[in-house]
Amino acid sequence: MALESTVQLQQNDREKTPEKPVDREKTCPLLLRVFYNTGRHSPLNEYTRGNVPSNELQIYTWLDATLKELTSLVKEVNPDARRKGTFFDFSIVYPDSRSPTYRMREIGTTCSGHRGADDTVSLASKKFVIGDYIDIAITPPRGPMRPGNMGRRPRPY
C-alpha cells in the first residue's frame, strides 16, 4: 500500500512540474515542416508513401515554441493570413505505429489580433516529436474588411 501511494505521488509531482524552458542559445533548433490550407486541414491521404502536401513552410524552431509564435511566422510569409480575426487551427500529423498511415491530432487554435487560451501552448506540451508535421487550417474572417467598417457590422440596406 505504501509503495502504491509513493508511485502515485511521484506521478502527481511530474504532472505539476512546469516545463523547463529551452536555452535557445545553447540548444540546436529543429526543422519544423508546416503545411497549411485555407479553410481546412490537408487530407491525410496526402501524407502517404513519403509524399507530403505541396504547400510547405519550413521553420527552424525549438520544442518550447508556442502556437502564437508559429502563427506570427506563418503570417510573415502568407499575406492572406494577416487580417485581424483570422483563425489558425493547429494539428500534429504523425505516423501511426500500427499501420503504414498517418494520424492527425488537434492541438489548439489561435486568432490573429486576439488573445486566446491556446496562445501559450507549446509543441512539447502537446507531445510533439521531432519528425512529426504541423498542419494548419487557416480560416479568414467573414465579410470584407474595409477601412470604414473595421469592427462594425455592415448596414442592412
Side-chain angles (χ1 to χ4, degrees):
M1 182 74 175
L3 181 62
E4 289 176 13
S5 58
T6 305
V7 171
Q8 277 186 338
L9 180 62
Q10 288 174 349
Q11 288 174 347
N12 290 338
D13 287 345
R14 253 185 264 141
E15 292 170 4
K16 291 179 183 176
T17 55
E19 292 178 35
K20 287 189 248 175
V22 174
D23 183 355
R24 293 184 174 193
E25 293 293 323
K26 295 181 180 178
T27 305
C28 183
L30 61 100
L31 174 63
L32 181 64
R33 297 180 72 185
V34 177
F35 302 93
Y36 59 92
N37 270 318
T38 302
R40 64 178 176 83
H41 285 287
S42 300
L44 282 176
N45 63 5
E46 291 187 18
Y47 294 97
T48 55
R49 299 188 196 114
N51 296 326
V52 291
S54 59
N55 49 349
E56 180 176 4
L57 175 62
Q58 295 185 349
I59 299 171
Y60 285 96
T61 190
W62 294 265
L63 285 173
D64 68 342
T66 64
L67 297 186
K68 198 64 169 179
E69 284 181 69
L70 298 178
T71 297
S72 65
L73 292 171
V74 171
K75 287 184 343 186
E76 284 181 21
V77 297
N78 186 347
D80 297 336
R82 294 179 188 156
R83 287 177 49 193
K84 186 174 184 177
T86 300
F87 283 91
F88 296 79
D89 296 311
F90 289 84
S91 291
I92 294 177
V93 178
Y94 60 97
D96 187 353
S97 60
R98 294 174 292 220
S99 65
T101 60
Y102 281 82
R103 296 211 174 262
M104 186 178 288
R105 183 177 76 242
E106 292 185 13
I107 59 171
T109 302
T110 62
C111 184
S112 182
H114 300 285
R115 290 186 186 152
D118 293 336
D119 288 356
T120 58
V121 168
S122 70
L123 294 175
S125 71
K126 293 298 182 174
K127 309 294 187 252
F128 179 86
V129 176
I130 296 174
D132 291 348
Y133 305 126
I134 294 291
D135 191 279
I136 307 173
I138 300 173
T139 308
R142 297 176 195 242
M145 295 295 281
R146 294 185 298 273
N149 72 348
M150 293 289 203
R152 289 188 274 169
R153 291 177 26 177
R155 294 183 180 172
Y157 59 90

